């Protein structure tokens, strides 16, 4: 006869094997308005999650539980004419926003460009509520033009103590970082630091995101090709450094300035080209927010991250004690 405690032991082992047996954690259980591209996520003082993403006018989606998402509208419902000289069209797509909520106000960085062009700019907007149409245009943060060594897209804010940094960039000579004025949120000088660069794959690296855990800064990037439906080859890479300005190294000790980058997430099963990521420090720890493609479009993925080994891995299902927490909600 099998005692109940050994039965539960068996159940635990069996379920753990199911959890660990699959090669990858899935993109998390999310519902509602989950179509997205290059998402960034912030939480306001009431605990509401705001997800901003690439769109004409920049889309706003909210959630009260990080699971069910509801589309709200646009940051710029009446257009953003100041971006037209970079999108080269009237009211064009605005790319890869980055949000920060300071306790009373949202700060939103976003890029205006066109595919394959260095005629690009990063702008700043602010809002106290985050609601559609509530935003103030704070103007240009930084820009590039043809012939520059990098491309002013994909902004990511990191506040280190009282110093504001913006990492940015893609392709060409890779990921850069500039300092911002912490009272205006705009650029505070002309110095540009290089954080990561590839020569492989035509230098395809973008979508930087910096997160600090323990004594290390972790620099996440997306490699390869972003936006090709189920042919998208985006994959999320990471390196770490004890200084925000580098040098960042991957797990094998290769500098991120020399093509290093440890794999965090790549295409698997029917999930194609995960990337365009952001990291939110939430009540249950760091969470990775990204998009991925299926044959039906691009969708929101959310996974909790575990940095306990010194290198981030996506948390797996935890049975049975985790059934009531976000393990199940975000890694199923
Ligand atoms: C930041 O901007 C404010 C407002 O323009 C200015 O008064 C201040 O001197 C700037 N700070 C730095 C460090 O540049």
């Amino acid at each position: 006869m099998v005692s109940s405690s050994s039965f539960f032991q068996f159940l635990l082992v069996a379920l753990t094997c199911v959890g660990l047996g699959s090669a990858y954690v899935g993109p998390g259980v999310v519902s509602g308005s989950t179509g997205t591209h290059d998402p960034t996520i912030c939480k306001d003082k009431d605990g509401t999650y705001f997800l901003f993403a690439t769109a004409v006018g920049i889309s706003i989606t909210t959630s009260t539980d990080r699971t069910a998402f509801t589309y709200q509208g646009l940051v710029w419902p009446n257009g953003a004419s100041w971006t037209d000289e970079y999108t080269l069209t009237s009211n064009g797509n605005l790319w890869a926003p980055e949000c920060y909520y300071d306790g009373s106000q949202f700060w939103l960085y976003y890029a205006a460009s066109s595919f394959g062009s260095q005629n690009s700019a990063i702008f700043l907007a602010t809002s106290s509520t985050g609601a559609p149409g509530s935003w103030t245009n704070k103007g240009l943060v930084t820009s590039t033009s043809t012939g520059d060594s990098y491309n002013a897209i994909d902004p990511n804010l990191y506040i280190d103590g009282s110093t504001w940094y913006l990492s940015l960039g893609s392709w060409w000579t890779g990921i850069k970082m500039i300092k911002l004025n912490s009272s205006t949120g705009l650029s505070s000088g002309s110095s540009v630091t290089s954080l990561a660069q590839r020569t492989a794959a035509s230098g395809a690296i973008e979508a930087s995101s910096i997160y600090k855990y323990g004594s290390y800064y972790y620099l996440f990037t997306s490699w390869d090709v972003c936006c090709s439906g189920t042919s998208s080859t985006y994959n999320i890479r990471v390196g770490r450094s004890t200084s925000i300005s580098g040098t960042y190294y991957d797990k094998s000790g290769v500098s991120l300035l020399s093509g290093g980058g440890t794999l965090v997430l790549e295409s698997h099963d029917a999930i194609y080209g995960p990337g365009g990521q952001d990291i939110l420090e939430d009540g249950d720890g760091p969470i990775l927010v990204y998009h991925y493609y299926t044959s039906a479009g691009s969708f929101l993925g959310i996974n909790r991250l575990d940095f306990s080994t010194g290198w981030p891995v996506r948390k797996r299902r935890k049975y049975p004690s985790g059934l009531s927490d976000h393990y199940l909600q975000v890694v199923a």
Side-chain angles (χ1 to χ4, degrees):
M1 145 143 199
V2 177
S3 76
S4 68
S5 77
S6 68
F7 173 73
F8 277 112
Q9 254 172 4
F10 163 78
L11 189 66
L12 180 61
V13 169
L15 288 170
T16 302
C17 288
V18 169
L20 296 175
S22 68
Y24 285 96
V25 173
V29 174
V30 287
S31 60
S33 311
T34 60
T36 199
H37 210 278
D38 307 316
T40 181
I41 194 162
C42 278
K43 202 172 175 180
D44 76 2
K45 61 178 184 303
D46 302 322
T48 300
Y49 296 90
F50 281 74
L51 190 86
F52 304 92
T54 293
V56 169
I58 307 170
S59 63
I60 307 169
T61 308
T62 62
S63 173
T64 54
D65 60 4
R66 214 175 69 195
T67 297
F69 286 83
T70 306
Y71 178 74
Q72 301 295 345
L74 299 176
V75 169
W76 306 122
N78 304 313
S81 56
W82 57 91
T83 62
D84 291 355
E85 63 177 296
Y86 299 98
T87 60
L88 304 181
T89 183
S90 173
N91 204 17
N93 222 13
L94 300 175
W95 291 357
E98 157 76 353
C99 66
Y100 164 58
Y101 184 75
D102 68 7
S104 61
Q105 174 173 257
F106 289 90
W107 303 70
L108 190 71
Y109 293 88
Y110 59 95
S113 186
S114 59
F115 275 108
S117 168
Q118 287 175 285
N119 178 46
S120 308
I122 292 169
F123 292 93
L124 173 63
T126 57
S127 164
S128 57
T129 64
S134 70
W135 295 80
T136 302
N137 173 18
K138 295 290 188 177
L140 183 73
V141 179
T142 188
S143 64
T144 51
S145 53
T146 306
D148 284 344
S149 68
Y150 62 100
N151 192 19
I153 66 166
D154 290 1
N156 172 75
L157 178 69
Y158 189 87
I159 299 175
D160 199 26
S162 57
T163 311
W164 287 34
Y165 295 94
L166 194 77
S167 62
L168 58 128
S170 83
W171 300 65
W172 285 275
T173 60
I175 305 300
K176 308 296 177 182
M177 189 168 72
I178 62 173
K179 274 189 185 170
L180 303 178
N181 180 318
S182 60
S183 50
T184 63
L186 302 176
S187 181
S188 70
S190 54
S191 145
V192 177
T193 304
S194 295
L195 300 185
Q197 180 174 6
R198 300 178 72 198
T199 50
S202 309
I205 182 169
E206 53 190 359
S208 67
S209 191
I210 294 173
Y211 179 77
K212 192 167 188 209
Y213 184 90
S215 53
Y216 286 105
Y217 298 87
Y218 290 83
L219 173 61
F220 292 78
T221 57
S222 296
W223 282 15
D224 301 334
V225 176
C226 64
C227 309
S228 306
T230 55
S231 300
S232 301
T233 56
Y234 247 11
N235 54 99
I236 300 175
R237 300 278 171 157
V238 73
R240 70 182 191 186
S241 170
T242 51
S243 161
I244 188 167
S245 41
T247 303
Y248 289 86
Y249 294 95
D250 70 11
K251 205 174 177 176
S252 312
V254 180
S255 166
L256 266 57
L257 290 167
S258 307
T262 296
L263 186 65
V264 177
L265 178 58
E266 63 184 334
S267 297
H268 60 93
D269 307 314
I271 305 296
Y272 296 95
Q277 68 283 339
D278 189 25
I279 297 179
L280 171 72
E281 174 70 39
D282 208 350
D284 57 349
I287 63 160
L288 177 69
V289 177
Y290 55 96
H291 75 247
Y292 64 93
Y293 280 88
T294 70
S295 54
S298 68
F299 297 96
L300 175 63
I302 297 182
N303 293 139
R304 294 178 65 198
L305 288 176
D306 181 352
F307 283 78
S308 60
T309 66
W311 290 95
V313 291
R314 286 162 303 130
K315 287 195 175 183
R316 294 177 181 277
R317 280 178 191 269
K318 185 176 132 190
Y319 292 102
S321 60
L323 283 173
S324 63
D325 71 14
H326 271 293
Y327 280 99
L328 196 60
Q329 278 184 300
V330 303
V331 303

